[in-house]
Amino acid sequence: MTKSEINNINSMEVNPEECSPGIQQYLDIKRQNPDTLLLYRMGDFYETFFEDATILARELEITLTGRDAGQSVGRIPLAGIPVKAMENYLKKLVDKGIKVAICEQLEDPKQAK
């Protein structure tokens, strides 16, 4: 797999300790809510990763891209929606019968470690 290729590994197959801190937190929350699509707030976007990103991109017809999750994991699927458009997209997901969990960012990104 080249550095730019997306690794379509399932989130449950990933060792969180091999991931970046943000992805570790995402995985911890996702594992507590395995039957929901997790929208994870990162700045001005709600982002999804792994299989949730693939579902979000397909169901909302938005772009699927990738993000580096750590050296051993590589690039994983990423899809996101702007915070300002959340209400419209959330309604579309719920109308399709998709269960959604929303994880809000509690600290100012400028203060993040």
Side-chain angles (χ1 to χ4, degrees):
M1 179 176 296
T2 67
K3 190 172 184 177
S4 64
E5 285 183 276
I6 294 177
N7 182 359
N8 285 307
I9 190 168
N10 185 288
S11 64
M12 298 302 170
E13 297 172 3
V14 175
N15 179 352
E17 294 176 7
E18 296 176 353
C19 296
S20 62
I23 299 300
Q24 284 180 11
Q25 186 178 41
Y26 176 89
L27 287 169
D28 289 344
I29 296 165
K30 178 64 182 170
R31 288 174 179 180
Q32 293 172 37
N33 302 278
D35 61 338
T36 63
L37 190 142
L38 176 60
L39 296 172
Y40 185 78
R41 175 96 181 246
M42 296 187 85
D44 293 334
F45 283 82
Y46 286 100
E47 297 184 354
T48 59
F49 306 101
F50 301 100
E51 62 277 2
D52 284 358
T54 303
I55 294 166
L56 188 74
R58 180 186 66 233
E59 295 298 329
L60 297 179
E61 299 178 359
I62 62 174
T63 301
L64 180 67
T65 187
R67 166 170 285 170
D68 184 24
Q71 188 172 357
S72 66
V73 179
R75 286 179 64 78
I76 57 170
L78 158 70
I81 54 176
V83 169
K84 63 184 178 184
M86 173 62 150
E87 189 173 319
N88 181 42
Y89 283 121
L90 183 59
K91 180 177 179 356
K92 288 180 182 181
L93 293 169
V94 172
D95 285 350
K96 291 178 179 238
I98 297 171
K99 206 163 128 179
V100 179
I102 300 170
C103 181
E104 288 292 342
Q105 187 171 1
L106 298 178
E107 63 184 7
D108 183 339
K110 295 174 186 143
Q111 304 295 323
K113 298 174 185 168

